[in-house]
Amino acid sequence: MNENESLTVTLTLENNEELECAVLNIFEADEKEYIALLPLDENGDNTDGQIYLYRFIDNGEEEEPGLENIEEDEEFDRVSAVFNEWLDTQDFGDIDLDALDNLED
């Protein structure tokens, strides 16, 4: 995998629809591992900014990792706070708003 290629996973939703997601981060909170996923559309883009958080289960090299829903609001709040702290440390670069305005013209 080259550095510009992102790791993706395919989620199967309750209605059996498949959703491709980019892996943003696998991180630890409260001595458990979690994963942050960015859902992608058919063009590989995310237009709504939604991020999914799941409990990450590492099943070793012999099996695929597993994902579990975070059922408790308190756990979700703690995990969200840890993810947001990580997100704040990331350097997304400065966005030149004037350049974006020029693209629309």
Side-chain angles (χ1 to χ4, degrees):
M1 178 183 326
N2 70 44
E3 69 182 53
N4 295 325
E5 187 178 349
S6 63
L7 180 62
T8 61
V9 297
T10 303
L11 296 179
T12 302
L13 306 177
E14 290 178 359
N15 64 0
N16 288 328
E17 179 184 343
E18 290 189 343
L19 179 64
E20 192 76 13
C21 296
V23 176
L24 295 177
N25 192 14
I26 298 172
F27 59 98
E28 189 173 306
D30 295 333
E31 299 181 13
K32 295 180 184 174
E33 285 192 307
Y34 295 89
I35 188 169
L37 302 175
L38 183 69
L40 304 173
D41 64 17
E42 60 276 352
N43 298 319
D45 297 319
N46 177 283
T47 56
D48 64 8
Q50 202 169 31
I51 295 172
Y52 298 155
L53 298 175
Y54 290 95
R55 199 173 303 117
F56 181 79
I57 310 300
D58 186 354
N59 292 316
E61 292 184 25
E62 301 298 317
E63 291 185 45
E64 292 286 323
L67 302 179
E68 290 180 351
N69 289 326
I70 301 170
E71 302 289 339
E72 300 294 324
D73 290 340
E74 296 82 14
E75 179 184 7
F76 185 81
D77 291 344
R78 289 189 307 272
V79 171
S80 294
V82 171
F83 176 73
N84 286 331
E85 286 176 18
W86 171 81
L87 202 56
D88 288 344
T89 66
Q90 300 308 296
D91 181 15
F92 294 108
D94 293 332
I95 298 174
D96 184 350
L97 297 177
D98 292 330
L100 292 177
D101 287 340
N102 292 337
L103 290 175
E104 294 175 4
D105 294 335

